Amino acid sequence: MPSPSLALHASRAPFGLRFSPARISKGPRRGSLVLLAPIEEFVFGSVPMEARGSSESPPDQPKRGKSKTPRKAKDSVLKQKSPAEFFAENKNIAGFDNPGKCLYTTVRELVENSLDSAESISELPAVEITIEEIGKVKFNSMIGLVDRERVDEELYDDYETAKAREKRLAKAARNQEIQAKNAALRKKVKEPTPTKGMKGRGEASFYRVTCKDNGRGMPHDDIPNMFGRVLSGTKYGLRQTRGKFGLGAKMALIWSKMSTGLPIDISSSMRGQNYVSFCRLDIDIHRNLPHIHIHEKQEKKEEWHGAEIQVVIEGNWTTYRSKILHYMRQMAVITPYAQFVFKFVSDTSDKSMTIKFARRTDVMPPVPLETKHHPSSVDLLLIKRLITETSKQNLLQFLQHEFVNISKAHAERLIGEMGPEFQPKMLIKSLTDQQIVRIHQLFRQAKFEDPVGDCLSPAGEYNLRLGIIKELHPDMVATYSGSAQVFEGHPFIVEAGVSLGGKDVKQGLNVFRFANRIPLLFEQGADVVTRTALKRINWTSYKINQMQDKIGVFVSIVSTKIPFKGTGKEYIGDDITEIATAVKYAIQQCCIQLKSKIVKKMQAREQQERKRNLSKYVPNAAGAVYDVLKEMAQSHALKRKRYEDEDADLLDKVSARLITKDMLTEKLSQHVEKVDYEMALEFATQRGVSEEPREAIYIQSLDAKSDFIEFSNSIFCFRLIRMMWSKTHQDMSRLGWVMTYKMRPRNSFCDLISCFSFHASFINASSFLLRVLLGILDVGLVGEMVPEISTLPWQSVAIEILHMMLEIVRFFVTLHYELAKATSACLF
């Protein structure tokens, strides 16, 4: 038997250690140690000396506070949490701060997943989102709970004592009396403020959120893990993604389990499948595993591919209604190629709504590509992970294929700089920790070429402009798309748009922020876009009134790594110089475009005001001139003063009443119209250089038998007649064109003048025709229109087209001169 003095109790042993007597009795081997105290106390020795006790105290000494029943000592105080449990306890990190924000974030995650799914197969997205309000009775029936009447009213939050009720009724009676007196004295009656009832904590609002799309769908066997296992997904890797945390609908499922306890329903079908996968599951938060209720293949009743997700959660539609609608509207702006249908269903018909955001274009941005890491953006841990996962054998191949912008020659120079212990052919798996640190230090100090932006997928200037016009209907809009730039080894592209006017736009600055083509609605004040628009742009220098004009500022930033700030990842910090500079430059480029449009609009307004003022005084001026002519005619008739030649003829016509006051008024009005027409002509000439024609263009079908090609719209028609002739000194054909014009509905010179006066100047028409000719200068199209072109050298074709354009310009110059002469002849 071992000596009793060797058996120490854990509460008295130093550092909470216990010696096992059984192990000591076997021989000279030492007793095993069991750690009972926290590891921090063992390492730092934080246990006081007085509390440790003596290891030599007799075993029969009574112990204070010891119970008769011996307690079982724990093996360890360390605990572990699964990822699902961590996010359930810290749901605010993923945007699930309160019931209203949870509803908003759920809609957002489902919509963005649907867009990614459709874009991955190059399908124009069609997303239908439905929020159905569920009453308390319906929710209780869904979970199998029977309603029970209250027994003890005092237990509830909304209980009102008799004294409080009497006080409330007395206050309401006084308010009614005051309202009646004010009404009798015809004073302004204030609307009585409604009394806020106390809402109990148990009276939650529940909603069924359903999202259906036409995307890729999900494989049947992968559905449980895609929704029931946190931090498992298909978007990991270095690429531009819409997601922030890799949670997606998993966080909605966790919130559903926390607030309602109901599972999530998923229906999915992929292209080529003759069945629909249906899965009903919830999540085991403690083990981070899916708990499957139903997982089966059902009959496919209609031709459909995509996914439909349905989840019941607690939410607050009243407070977050505007945020959800703003999110859908801004998503329609940045993705005009998608169609969204948003529905809110309530028991009361006045609260229900259906909003459709129609598709405006079928031009989709390319799918983002996965790229490799830039050497200047990696850390020590990432280098170790790449070494573990790489399939390359030696160091040279590893540097050349696992990073961007490292060629073979560059990799050899880097290896030579690392030191003599590094060789190009050394095994990558044999690198020590010190050698890996050396590689990391060299990566931070060496110079590398910046990464290109080929892996990024911005919305595009065309789509951004269409989205702004579709949703805001502004008076003016300008867009700009910058080139790829770099911060910390990650490429990024900034796109911007600035609009003036529009519907549902407040006065002043209205900032719309997008990151990787998703709207950012919260924490706007600290964002780089907001601060740039408010403090770094001098709007007055661009003829824009920052306080009175309705200004919309749209900025979209795409990158493989968005530098979000804060736990919610709702804004981009203002401390990155590269991004702040790019944002400012993009907004300035849009303002420069708007300034030219504003100046032209101001000039046109001044011209209209000048014409209005001239027309206002035409009757008075005509009357004054006619009175002067009448007095001169009387003097000439009485021979008081003689006039000769043309003056005498004019006065004779005045005496014979061949020239009247009305005639002078008409002539002056025509002269004002002429001046206005000349100014408009000059304005249209300048505008036609930079703006596209507004008239619809109709080009006839290409027919090899036709000897002419016609470009026409509702106002005019240009016919290009093809003529062929040959040269004796060259063995080739040359191409010539003779141009004629015809008017609708009558081929008359007057119709030509009126058409150009009311619709477009002929200079604008000429620029339009030149643009059409440049547009059809395509090998396939021109070859189909004129087969002879395919046999000509391209240098000769270019010369002939240049001659043809010069002839068109000469034609319009002549037409301009004839129109001017005809207009002058009609006036006097």
Side-chain angles (χ1 to χ4, degrees):
M1 292 292 293
S3 174
S5 62
L6 294 178
L8 303 179
H9 193 268
S11 61
R12 302 181 61 192
F15 299 96
L17 304 179
R18 182 178 64 193
F19 288 85
S20 175
R23 297 289 300 273
I24 296 177
S25 63
K26 291 184 180 180
R29 297 176 62 184
R30 295 184 180 181
S32 59
L33 304 181
V34 180
L35 182 62
L36 296 180
I39 188 68
E40 291 83 3
E41 295 182 2
F42 180 77
V43 175
F44 297 102
S46 59
V47 179
M49 294 295 295
E50 296 81 359
R52 297 178 185 176
S54 175
S55 59
E56 299 179 358
S57 52
D60 56 348
Q61 183 178 353
K63 301 183 177 70
R64 296 181 181 178
K66 181 180 179 181
S67 61
K68 295 181 180 181
T69 305
R71 291 179 296 178
K72 184 179 180 181
K74 295 182 179 179
D75 293 338
S76 175
V77 295
L78 298 178
K79 295 182 179 180
Q80 292 183 351
K81 290 184 180 180
S82 68
E85 191 175 3
F86 171 79
F87 281 105
E89 295 179 359
N90 302 274
K91 57 183 183 298
N92 60 306
I93 296 179
F96 286 74
D97 301 31
N98 51 67
K101 186 78 176 292
C102 292
L103 181 62
Y104 162 80
T105 308
T106 299
V107 172
R108 172 179 183 161
E109 294 288 354
L110 295 180
V111 170
E112 291 168 8
N113 285 347
S114 298
L115 290 175
D116 288 336
S117 178
E119 291 174 1
S120 64
I121 58 174
S122 299
E123 183 83 16
L124 291 174
V127 183
E128 182 176 345
I129 189 81
T130 305
I131 301 178
E132 180 185 356
E133 188 177 22
I134 300 177
K136 180 181 178 182
V137 177
K138 185 176 181 180
F139 175 76
N140 288 342
S141 64
M142 291 173 59
I143 62 176
L145 183 64
V146 180
D147 287 339
R148 180 189 174 111
E149 294 184 359
R150 296 182 179 183
V151 179
D152 191 351
E153 291 285 348
E154 296 183 4
L155 285 174
Y156 296 91
D157 253 357
D158 54 357
Y159 172 72
E160 188 178 30
T161 62
K163 187 176 180 179
R165 182 173 180 275
E166 182 180 354
K167 186 177 179 180
R168 178 175 59 83
L169 293 178
K171 184 178 180 181
R174 286 196 304 269
N175 290 336
Q176 290 180 359
E177 184 178 355
I178 294 173
Q179 295 288 337
K181 289 181 179 180
N182 292 335
L185 297 175
R186 296 183 179 180
K187 293 183 179 181
K188 188 176 181 180
V189 180
K190 295 183 179 180
E191 292 292 333
T193 57
T195 57
K196 297 181 180 179
M198 296 181 61
K199 183 178 180 180
R201 290 188 296 270
E203 295 183 14
S205 301
F206 301 98
Y207 301 89
R208 178 187 285 113
V209 183
T210 307
C211 184
K212 185 177 181 180
D213 61 65
N214 61 338
R216 178 190 297 272
M218 293 166 282
H220 179 78
D221 297 332
D222 293 343
I223 294 178
N225 284 329
M226 294 181 75
F227 285 88
R229 192 187 294 270
V230 175
L231 300 182
S232 65
T234 59
K235 298 181 183 179
Y236 292 115
L238 189 62
R239 69 173 68 186
Q240 172 191 329
T241 58
R242 283 193 172 97
K244 294 181 181 179
F245 300 97
L247 295 177
K250 306 177 189 69
M251 196 62 211
L253 176 57
I254 292 176
W255 174 244
S256 173
K257 188 175 181 63
M258 295 174 64
S259 59
T260 66
L262 294 175
I264 188 173
D265 291 347
I266 304 108
S267 299
S268 175
S269 180
M270 303 181 70
R271 284 179 174 175
Q273 288 183 348
N274 56 1
Y275 62 88
V276 175
S277 301
F278 178 77
C279 185
R280 177 175 294 163
L281 58 87
D282 61 13
I283 185 172
D284 187 342
I285 293 180
H286 300 289
R287 295 192 301 163
N288 192 28
L289 292 174
H291 179 210
I292 302 173
H293 297 253
I294 301 175
H295 191 197
E296 62 184 8
K297 297 180 180 179
Q298 299 178 351
E299 181 183 357
K300 193 173 184 178
K301 299 181 180 179
E302 59 180 352
E303 196 63 31
W304 167 72
H305 61 84
E308 182 177 4
I309 303 170
Q310 187 177 104
V311 60
V312 179
I313 61 173
E314 180 186 351
N316 192 334
W317 167 256
T318 304
T319 56
Y320 274 78
R321 173 181 179 273
S322 60
K323 289 292 185 183
I324 294 175
L325 295 181
H326 285 167
Y327 170 79
M328 296 301 301
R329 188 186 187 191
Q330 293 188 31
M331 185 59 79
V333 169
I334 201 65
T335 54
Y337 53 87
Q339 175 180 302
F340 299 98
V341 178
F342 178 82
K343 298 180 181 179
F344 180 77
V345 182
S346 177
D347 295 335
T348 57
S349 58
D350 57 339
K351 292 176 60 178
S352 300
M353 66 172 66
T354 299
I355 303 176
K356 182 177 181 180
F357 301 91
R359 181 183 293 116
R360 179 66 184 266
T361 178
D362 57 356
V363 178
M364 294 178 58
V367 179
L369 302 177
E370 185 173 358
T371 185
K372 298 176 183 178
H373 293 276
H374 193 267
S376 61
S377 66
V378 298
D379 53 26
L380 194 60
L381 186 62
L382 181 58
I383 295 177
K384 292 182 178 181
R385 182 171 66 83
L386 292 177
I387 291 175
T388 305
E389 298 176 354
T390 186
S391 60
K392 305 303 177 183
Q393 299 296 325
N394 55 52
L395 180 60
L396 180 65
Q397 294 176 349
F398 172 74
L399 296 178
Q400 187 177 351
H401 294 91
E402 295 296 335
F403 301 95
V404 295
N405 295 347
I406 297 183
S407 61
K408 183 177 180 181
H410 195 187
E412 292 175 348
R413 292 178 59 189
L414 290 173
I415 295 173
E417 187 66 22
M418 291 176 187
E421 66 272 15
F422 292 89
Q423 298 297 328
K425 298 298 183 181
M426 68 183 302
L427 296 177
I428 190 63
K429 305 291 185 181
S430 64
L431 291 176
T432 62
D433 292 342
Q434 292 78 8
Q435 291 174 328
I436 295 175
V437 171
R438 173 58 183 155
I439 295 175
H440 179 234
Q441 291 177 349
L442 184 60
F443 278 175
R444 298 186 63 179
Q445 299 172 1
K447 181 175 64 175
F448 300 93
E449 294 182 1
D450 292 335
V452 296
D454 298 342
C455 59
L456 302 179
S457 177
E461 188 175 353
Y462 173 76
N463 281 339
L464 183 60
R465 177 184 292 266
L466 282 183
I468 296 173
I469 294 174
K470 177 173 72 81
E471 295 301 323
L472 270 69
H473 302 283
D475 301 329
M476 293 183 184
V477 62
T479 54
Y480 173 79
S481 180
S483 58
Q485 302 185 44
V486 181
F487 81 96
E488 297 180 358
H490 296 277
F492 72 94
I493 295 176
V494 176
E495 297 175 308
V498 178
S499 65
L500 291 178
K503 68 175 185 178
D504 299 334
V505 182
K506 300 177 182 178
Q507 284 187 341
L509 284 176
N510 299 267
V511 180
F512 301 87
R513 303 168 295 134
F514 304 93
N516 280 350
R517 307 213 308 264
I518 60 174
L520 303 178
L521 270 64
F522 297 91
E523 302 183 44
Q524 180 172 335
D527 192 88
V528 60
V529 178
T530 306
R531 292 193 174 184
T532 301
L534 288 175
K535 300 179 180 179
R536 303 189 182 105
I537 303 297
N538 186 8
W539 297 97
T540 308
S541 61
Y542 302 105
K543 309 294 184 183
I544 299 175
N545 192 324
Q546 183 177 349
M547 304 303 297
Q548 296 181 0
D549 291 338
K550 297 179 179 180
I551 309 171
V553 180
F554 302 81
V555 176
S556 173
I557 302 175
V558 295
S559 175
T560 53
K561 179 184 178 182
I562 298 292
F564 289 113
K565 297 292 183 180
T567 56
K569 294 190 175 183
E570 287 290 347
Y571 72 99
I572 301 173
D574 195 25
D575 55 345
I576 301 177
T577 307
E578 295 87 349
I579 294 181
T581 304
V583 169
K584 179 181 178 181
Y585 182 77
I587 297 177
Q588 286 177 336
Q589 292 301 310
C590 295
C591 292
I592 291 173
Q593 300 177 37
L594 286 180
K595 181 179 179 180
S596 62
K597 296 181 180 180
I598 292 172
V599 170
K600 292 178 181 179
K601 189 174 181 180
M602 292 171 62
Q603 292 176 351
R605 191 183 301 114
E606 291 175 359
Q607 292 174 1
Q608 293 177 358
E609 186 67 23
R610 189 182 299 112
K611 177 184 175 182
R612 190 181 301 111
N613 293 335
L614 290 174
S615 302
K616 179 180 179 181
Y617 296 107
V618 162
N620 296 333
V625 171
Y626 184 74
D627 291 340
V628 173
L629 290 176
K630 194 174 181 181
E631 291 181 2
M632 293 173 62
Q634 291 176 358
S635 300
H636 179 69
L638 296 175
K639 298 181 181 181
R640 296 177 184 174
K641 190 174 182 179
R642 301 293 296 176
Y643 298 92
E644 298 178 356
D645 300 335
E646 295 180 357
D647 295 341
D649 294 340
L650 178 62
L651 294 177
D652 291 339
K653 291 180 180 180
V654 172
S655 300
R657 301 190 63 82
L658 297 177
I659 296 179
T660 62
K661 181 179 177 180
D662 295 337
M663 184 181 296
L664 288 177
T665 304
E666 181 181 357
K667 292 297 183 180
L668 282 176
S669 300
Q670 292 177 358
H671 182 71
V672 171
E673 290 289 340
K674 174 188 175 183
V675 173
D676 178 69
Y677 170 73
E678 290 177 351
M679 292 183 177
L681 183 63
E682 182 181 0
F683 175 74
T685 304
Q686 298 174 357
R687 184 184 62 180
V689 176
S690 59
E691 290 192 3
E692 296 296 328
R694 297 179 181 274
E695 296 85 2
I697 303 170
Y698 305 94
I699 302 179
Q700 68 171 12
S701 60
L702 303 175
D703 190 357
K705 298 181 180 180
S706 301
D707 58 349
F708 63 87
I709 298 174
E710 205 170 68
F711 302 95
S712 60
N713 69 356
S714 59
I715 307 303
F716 54 83
C717 172
F718 291 98
R719 176 173 294 177
L720 304 182
I721 303 176
R722 187 176 59 190
M723 299 179 62
M724 302 298 302
W725 68 94
S726 60
K727 279 196 165 187
T728 56
H729 63 278
Q730 290 185 0
D731 188 14
M732 58 177 292
S733 299
R734 296 190 62 187
L735 180 64
W737 298 86
V738 177
M739 185 171 63
T740 62
Y741 67 88
K742 67 177 183 178
M743 299 308 305
R744 295 173 180 160
R746 297 184 302 275
N747 187 10
S748 63
F749 194 71
C750 295
D751 287 339
L752 180 63
I753 297 176
S754 63
C755 124
F756 280 129
S757 299
F758 288 102
H759 294 281
S761 67
F762 52 86
I763 296 296
N764 195 21
S766 66
S767 63
F768 146 73
L769 182 58
L770 292 179
R771 280 192 296 271
V772 170
L773 293 176
L774 290 174
I776 66 173
L777 188 57
D778 180 81
V779 179
L781 183 58
V782 175
E784 187 176 356
M785 293 170 55
V786 187
E788 293 83 359
I789 280 187
S790 60
T791 62
L792 298 180
W794 282 111
Q795 294 83 355
S796 301
V797 173
I799 293 174
E800 293 304 323
I801 292 178
L802 180 60
H803 285 312
M804 177 175 59
M805 291 182 178
L806 292 177
E807 291 296 329
I808 293 172
V809 173
R810 188 180 296 111
F811 168 79
F812 277 113
V813 170
T814 305
L815 183 60
H816 182 196
Y817 176 71
E818 295 295 332
L819 282 174
K821 287 201 307 182
T823 307
S824 301
C826 292
L827 285 176
F828 294 101

